[in-house]
Amino acid sequence: MTNPIPAHAPLALSFDTAVFDTGSWVGRVWLPQQGPAVVLVKAGAVHDISQHVATVSALLEVPEPAAYLRALPLAEALIDLPALLTNSDPSQRDETLPWLLAPIDLQAVKAAGVTFAASLLERVVEEQAKGDPAKADAIRDTLASRIGADLSRIVPGSKQAEDLRAVLVEQGLWSQYLEVGIGPDAEVFTKAQPLSAVGHGADIGLHPKSSWNNPEPEVVLAVSSTGAIQGAMLGNDVNLRDFEGRSALLLSKAKDNNASTALGPLLRLFDETFSLDDVRAAEVDLRVEGQDGFVLQGRSSMRQISRDPLDLVQQTLNENHQYPDGLVLFLGTLFAPKQDRDQPGGGFTHKLGDVVSISNPLLGTLCNRVTTSDLAPQWTFGLRDLIDSLSRRDLLAVAVRARLPA
């Protein structure tokens, strides 16, 4: 990316907060002079609950986290929610007040890829284009005409999928992306390291050598160490199409860069108002606003996912792999932008200063500004820093295990 860094206008982070009036919401904030804290959002107020449960990881090990939170005695609010959202924009931050972090901490950050048939062909396009967006349109047209199958109707791992595989192999059209898209085994990869994800309002980072990239608006599940799905949030699985298109072996470089994972704004726990069925029916909206006046809008419908979220979790955590601190799982996206931005056939790619908003009526809005991974704030607060911070506040015991309310 070579365009100059534009001056930052304040982000419009204080969206309609009515979505948070219903349900059970937790998050993490940075408390100046103290460090990270777990918070409960209730009736528009943000309460520090770290004295009872100092990590989100520990909270999600409670059999019924929402019921546990309802029983907690709450201290005076730290800040009201609109003020917290505004203060989460680095360009207008009051460093004496809290701001949002990603609403997870010790969990592994995993992602499922190629989970939507409609975006499956786009992965094959990237592969055959070898990272060159100028070749994408011609390849896209050729694949659509030659494959001749509605992939959205094919159940991954079914006999129908295997029959299609045989035909495509014979025609020389089989792809590693088709293998994980309609084959029996899902693609599940490590998206980021624990504590490296950024939250609502933070800059998101693209590798500075990338010239073909895009946001990926997704629903992200929060899962306990036992495999219990405890809630969901929004996520941006920032994607470098050119890196991965050159070689699937560059997936880690395409996916795991400084500030390349955004989560938030808060984690909504499952309760009587919100369940896995709401996730299955979720519509996730995307809006990208560039400082050049360009606007991109899109939608990803979870109703079109090829693999059920429960299946994806079971393919991630099972007898072959455990996650003692829990995990979060990006579920993939239907969205693959093809809209030209600068010249015909050039497709979409980010520019510095783009504002990316990902929203859902039940999960709120996650908003971030685009920069490069070398210019985004460096990730410096790791596990040793968290242990030190919790130790200084006498919170280590409740970082491991939630304290039962009196």
Side-chain angles (χ1 to χ4, degrees), residues 43-71:
V46 181
H47 301 270
D48 182 359
I49 58 172
S50 300
Q51 293 294 327
H52 303 283
V53 56
T55 61
V56 178
S57 171
L59 173 63
L60 299 187
E61 294 302 308
V62 175
E64 296 184 28
Y68 169 83
L69 292 176
R70 278 195 287 266

mmCIF file of all heavy atoms in Angstrom, residues 43-71:
data_model
loop_
_atom_site.group_PDB
_atom_site.id
_atom_site.type_symbol
_atom_site.label_atom_id
_atom_site.label_comp_id
_atom_site.label_asym_id
_atom_site.label_seq_id
_atom_site.Cartn_x
_atom_site.Cartn_y
_atom_site.Cartn_z
ATOM 1 N N ALA A 43 -28.021 -1.389 31.638
ATOM 2 C CA ALA A 43 -28.813 -0.152 31.663
ATOM 3 C C ALA A 43 -27.970 1.058 31.277
ATOM 4 O O ALA A 43 -28.076 2.125 31.896
ATOM 5 C CB ALA A 43 -29.452 0.045 33.040
ATOM 6 N N GLY A 44 -27.117 0.897 30.282
ATOM 7 C CA GLY A 44 -26.330 2.013 29.773
ATOM 8 C C GLY A 44 -25.124 2.369 30.606
ATOM 9 O O GLY A 44 -24.405 3.321 30.289
ATOM 10 N N ALA A 45 -24.866 1.617 31.677
ATOM 11 C CA ALA A 45 -23.719 1.892 32.542
ATOM 12 C C ALA A 45 -22.711 0.758 32.454
ATOM 13 O O ALA A 45 -23.062 -0.398 32.219
ATOM 14 C CB ALA A 45 -24.180 2.071 33.986
ATOM 15 N N VAL A 46 -21.443 1.089 32.661
ATOM 16 C CA VAL A 46 -20.340 0.132 32.541
ATOM 17 C C VAL A 46 -19.757 -0.112 33.925
ATOM 18 O O VAL A 46 -19.237 0.807 34.565
ATOM 19 C CB VAL A 46 -19.258 0.672 31.585
ATOM 20 C CG1 VAL A 46 -18.127 -0.332 31.437
ATOM 21 C CG2 VAL A 46 -19.870 1.012 30.230
ATOM 22 N N HIS A 47 -19.852 -1.360 34.399
ATOM 23 C CA HIS A 47 -19.433 -1.713 35.757
ATOM 24 C C HIS A 47 -18.217 -2.631 35.723
ATOM 25 O O HIS A 47 -18.196 -3.628 34.999
ATOM 26 C CB HIS A 47 -20.564 -2.432 36.496
ATOM 27 C CG HIS A 47 -21.826 -1.637 36.618
ATOM 28 N ND1 HIS A 47 -22.083 -0.805 37.680
ATOM 29 C CD2 HIS A 47 -22.910 -1.563 35.792
ATOM 30 C CE1 HIS A 47 -23.280 -0.246 37.511
ATOM 31 N NE2 HIS A 47 -23.794 -0.685 36.380
ATOM 32 N N ASP A 48 -17.218 -2.331 36.535
ATOM 33 C CA ASP A 48 -16.041 -3.178 36.683
ATOM 34 C C ASP A 48 -16.421 -4.374 37.558
ATOM 35 O O ASP A 48 -16.829 -4.198 38.710
ATOM 36 C CB ASP A 48 -14.918 -2.369 37.332
ATOM 37 C CG ASP A 48 -13.619 -3.158 37.482
ATOM 38 O OD1 ASP A 48 -13.591 -4.345 37.097
ATOM 39 O OD2 ASP A 48 -12.640 -2.588 37.996
ATOM 40 N N ILE A 49 -16.288 -5.596 37.023
ATOM 41 C CA ILE A 49 -16.601 -6.800 37.803
ATOM 42 C C ILE A 49 -15.345 -7.643 38.045
ATOM 43 O O ILE A 49 -15.434 -8.823 38.376
ATOM 44 C CB ILE A 49 -17.691 -7.650 37.119
ATOM 45 C CG1 ILE A 49 -17.265 -8.074 35.699
ATOM 46 C CG2 ILE A 49 -19.015 -6.886 37.082
ATOM 47 C CD1 ILE A 49 -18.214 -9.072 35.045
ATOM 48 N N SER A 50 -14.185 -7.027 37.901
ATOM 49 C CA SER A 50 -12.929 -7.770 38.003
ATOM 50 C C SER A 50 -12.708 -8.374 39.379
ATOM 51 O O SER A 50 -11.992 -9.382 39.508
ATOM 52 C CB SER A 50 -11.742 -6.863 37.656
ATOM 53 O OG SER A 50 -11.854 -6.372 36.345
ATOM 54 N N GLN A 51 -13.304 -7.801 40.422
ATOM 55 C CA GLN A 51 -13.152 -8.378 41.759
ATOM 56 C C GLN A 51 -13.843 -9.733 41.863
ATOM 57 O O GLN A 51 -13.539 -10.532 42.743
ATOM 58 C CB GLN A 51 -13.729 -7.421 42.818
ATOM 59 C CG GLN A 51 -12.960 -6.124 42.969
ATOM 60 C CD GLN A 51 -11.555 -6.332 43.507
ATOM 61 O OE1 GLN A 51 -11.309 -7.232 44.312
ATOM 62 N NE2 GLN A 51 -10.612 -5.512 43.055
ATOM 63 N N HIS A 52 -14.771 -9.991 40.964
ATOM 64 C CA HIS A 52 -15.506 -11.256 40.972
ATOM 65 C C HIS A 52 -14.997 -12.219 39.905
ATOM 66 O O HIS A 52 -14.960 -13.429 40.130
ATOM 67 C CB HIS A 52 -16.993 -10.988 40.740
ATOM 68 C CG HIS A 52 -17.597 -10.056 41.725
ATOM 69 N ND1 HIS A 52 -17.942 -10.436 43.004
ATOM 70 C CD2 HIS A 52 -17.902 -8.724 41.633
ATOM 71 C CE1 HIS A 52 -18.446 -9.404 43.654
ATOM 72 N NE2 HIS A 52 -18.428 -8.358 42.848
ATOM 73 N N VAL A 53 -14.607 -11.679 38.753
ATOM 74 C CA VAL A 53 -14.087 -12.497 37.666
ATOM 75 C C VAL A 53 -13.158 -11.623 36.840
ATOM 76 O O VAL A 53 -13.591 -10.673 36.192
ATOM 77 C CB VAL A 53 -15.229 -13.109 36.825
ATOM 78 C CG1 VAL A 53 -16.167 -12.054 36.280
ATOM 79 C CG2 VAL A 53 -14.691 -13.998 35.716
ATOM 80 N N ALA A 54 -11.869 -11.909 36.885
ATOM 81 C CA ALA A 54 -10.868 -10.993 36.342
ATOM 82 C C ALA A 54 -10.474 -11.293 34.909
ATOM 83 O O ALA A 54 -9.718 -10.535 34.314
ATOM 84 C CB ALA A 54 -9.622 -10.988 37.228
ATOM 85 N N THR A 55 -10.957 -12.404 34.357
ATOM 86 C CA THR A 55 -10.736 -12.682 32.939
ATOM 87 C C THR A 55 -12.042 -13.174 32.327
ATOM 88 O O THR A 55 -12.843 -13.846 32.982
ATOM 89 C CB THR A 55 -9.648 -13.759 32.696
ATOM 90 O OG1 THR A 55 -10.047 -14.990 33.298
ATOM 91 C CG2 THR A 55 -8.301 -13.303 33.246
ATOM 92 N N VAL A 56 -12.238 -12.845 31.056
ATOM 93 C CA VAL A 56 -13.403 -13.357 30.337
ATOM 94 C C VAL A 56 -13.295 -14.868 30.195
ATOM 95 O O VAL A 56 -14.294 -15.589 30.228
ATOM 96 C CB VAL A 56 -13.534 -12.668 28.967
ATOM 97 C CG1 VAL A 56 -14.717 -13.234 28.182
ATOM 98 C CG2 VAL A 56 -13.697 -11.156 29.136
ATOM 99 N N SER A 57 -12.076 -15.363 30.067
ATOM 100 C CA SER A 57 -11.853 -16.802 29.987
ATOM 101 C C SER A 57 -12.445 -17.514 31.202
ATOM 102 O O SER A 57 -13.129 -18.537 31.071
ATOM 103 C CB SER A 57 -10.355 -17.096 29.878
ATOM 104 O OG SER A 57 -10.085 -18.474 29.999
ATOM 105 N N ALA A 58 -12.197 -16.994 32.394
ATOM 106 C CA ALA A 58 -12.734 -17.608 33.612
ATOM 107 C C ALA A 58 -14.253 -17.502 33.662
ATOM 108 O O ALA A 58 -14.939 -18.434 34.084
ATOM 109 C CB ALA A 58 -12.117 -16.953 34.840
ATOM 110 N N LEU A 59 -14.795 -16.376 33.222
ATOM 111 C CA LEU A 59 -16.250 -16.195 33.219
ATOM 112 C C LEU A 59 -16.926 -17.256 32.366
ATOM 113 O O LEU A 59 -17.975 -17.809 32.735
ATOM 114 C CB LEU A 59 -16.603 -14.804 32.702
ATOM 115 C CG LEU A 59 -18.090 -14.523 32.480
ATOM 116 C CD1 LEU A 59 -18.864 -14.598 33.786
ATOM 117 C CD2 LEU A 59 -18.290 -13.169 31.812
ATOM 118 N N LEU A 60 -16.340 -17.566 31.207
ATOM 119 C CA LEU A 60 -16.973 -18.502 30.288
ATOM 120 C C LEU A 60 -16.876 -19.952 30.752
ATOM 121 O O LEU A 60 -17.511 -20.832 30.163
ATOM 122 C CB LEU A 60 -16.379 -18.355 28.885
ATOM 123 C CG LEU A 60 -16.561 -16.979 28.245
ATOM 124 C CD1 LEU A 60 -16.094 -16.993 26.804
ATOM 125 C CD2 LEU A 60 -18.002 -16.507 28.328
ATOM 126 N N GLU A 61 -16.121 -20.208 31.822
ATOM 127 C CA GLU A 61 -16.079 -21.552 32.401
ATOM 128 C C GLU A 61 -17.219 -21.771 33.387
ATOM 129 O O GLU A 61 -17.489 -22.900 33.791
ATOM 130 C CB GLU A 61 -14.739 -21.784 33.095
ATOM 131 C CG GLU A 61 -13.542 -21.798 32.158
ATOM 132 C CD GLU A 61 -13.652 -22.858 31.073
ATOM 133 O OE1 GLU A 61 -13.891 -24.040 31.411
ATOM 134 O OE2 GLU A 61 -13.527 -22.501 29.882
ATOM 135 N N VAL A 62 -17.902 -20.700 33.781
ATOM 136 C CA VAL A 62 -19.084 -20.828 34.641
ATOM 137 C C VAL A 62 -20.186 -21.494 33.830
ATOM 138 O O VAL A 62 -20.410 -21.133 32.669
ATOM 139 C CB VAL A 62 -19.535 -19.437 35.132
ATOM 140 C CG1 VAL A 62 -20.831 -19.535 35.922
ATOM 141 C CG2 VAL A 62 -18.439 -18.793 35.966
ATOM 142 N N PRO A 63 -20.894 -22.479 34.401
ATOM 143 C CA PRO A 63 -21.918 -23.189 33.608
ATOM 144 C C PRO A 63 -22.957 -22.270 32.968
ATOM 145 O O PRO A 63 -23.341 -22.485 31.824
ATOM 146 C CB PRO A 63 -22.549 -24.129 34.638
ATOM 147 C CG PRO A 63 -21.459 -24.367 35.655
ATOM 148 C CD PRO A 63 -20.711 -23.071 35.728
ATOM 149 N N GLU A 64 -23.416 -21.249 33.671
ATOM 150 C CA GLU A 64 -24.401 -20.308 33.126
ATOM 151 C C GLU A 64 -23.904 -18.883 33.385
ATOM 152 O O GLU A 64 -24.296 -18.249 34.367
ATOM 153 C CB GLU A 64 -25.771 -20.529 33.750
ATOM 154 C CG GLU A 64 -26.369 -21.894 33.445
ATOM 155 C CD GLU A 64 -27.775 -22.051 34.004
ATOM 156 O OE1 GLU A 64 -28.478 -21.024 34.133
ATOM 157 O OE2 GLU A 64 -28.162 -23.185 34.315
ATOM 158 N N PRO A 65 -23.044 -18.363 32.521
ATOM 159 C CA PRO A 65 -22.447 -17.044 32.766
ATOM 160 C C PRO A 65 -23.469 -15.923 32.936
ATOM 161 O O PRO A 65 -23.294 -15.045 33.788
ATOM 162 C CB PRO A 65 -21.581 -16.817 31.524
ATOM 163 C CG PRO A 65 -21.271 -18.185 31.026
ATOM 164 C CD PRO A 65 -22.497 -19.000 31.315
ATOM 165 N N ALA A 66 -24.541 -15.914 32.140
ATOM 166 C CA ALA A 66 -25.529 -14.839 32.248
ATOM 167 C C ALA A 66 -26.197 -14.849 33.617
ATOM 168 O O ALA A 66 -26.404 -13.792 34.234
ATOM 169 C CB ALA A 66 -26.566 -14.969 31.132
ATOM 170 N N ALA A 67 -26.565 -16.029 34.116
ATOM 171 C CA ALA A 67 -27.179 -16.135 35.434
ATOM 172 C C ALA A 67 -26.185 -15.715 36.522
ATOM 173 O O ALA A 67 -26.560 -15.053 37.503
ATOM 174 C CB ALA A 67 -27.665 -17.560 35.674
ATOM 175 N N TYR A 68 -24.928 -16.086 36.358
ATOM 176 C CA TYR A 68 -23.893 -15.690 37.312
ATOM 177 C C TYR A 68 -23.797 -14.163 37.400
ATOM 178 O O TYR A 68 -23.743 -13.585 38.496
ATOM 179 C CB TYR A 68 -22.555 -16.283 36.882
ATOM 180 C CG TYR A 68 -21.362 -15.746 37.628
ATOM 181 C CD1 TYR A 68 -21.001 -16.260 38.865
ATOM 182 C CD2 TYR A 68 -20.593 -14.715 37.088
ATOM 183 C CE1 TYR A 68 -19.907 -15.771 39.556
ATOM 184 C CE2 TYR A 68 -19.493 -14.215 37.777
ATOM 185 C CZ TYR A 68 -19.158 -14.735 39.008
ATOM 186 O OH TYR A 68 -18.075 -14.236 39.699
ATOM 187 N N LEU A 69 -23.813 -13.500 36.247
ATOM 188 C CA LEU A 69 -23.685 -12.043 36.238
ATOM 189 C C LEU A 69 -24.879 -11.370 36.892
ATOM 190 O O LEU A 69 -24.737 -10.334 37.552
ATOM 191 C CB LEU A 69 -23.516 -11.548 34.801
ATOM 192 C CG LEU A 69 -22.205 -11.929 34.112
ATOM 193 C CD1 LEU A 69 -22.218 -11.468 32.663
ATOM 194 C CD2 LEU A 69 -21.006 -11.363 34.845
ATOM 195 N N ARG A 70 -26.065 -11.930 36.707
ATOM 196 C CA ARG A 70 -27.271 -11.317 37.301
ATOM 197 C C ARG A 70 -27.207 -11.314 38.829
ATOM 198 O O ARG A 70 -27.820 -10.467 39.479
ATOM 199 C CB ARG A 70 -28.524 -12.055 36.826
ATOM 200 C CG ARG A 70 -28.996 -11.613 35.448
ATOM 201 C CD ARG A 70 -30.415 -12.091 35.164
ATOM 202 N NE ARG A 70 -30.462 -13.525 34.897
ATOM 203 C CZ ARG A 70 -30.419 -14.049 33.685
ATOM 204 N NH1 ARG A 70 -30.314 -13.255 32.625
ATOM 205 N NH2 ARG A 70 -30.472 -15.368 33.527
ATOM 206 N N ALA A 71 -26.460 -12.267 39.397
ATOM 207 C CA ALA A 71 -26.387 -12.372 40.855
ATOM 208 C C ALA A 71 -25.287 -11.508 41.465
ATOM 209 O O ALA A 71 -25.196 -11.397 42.693
ATOM 210 C CB ALA A 71 -26.168 -13.833 41.249
#
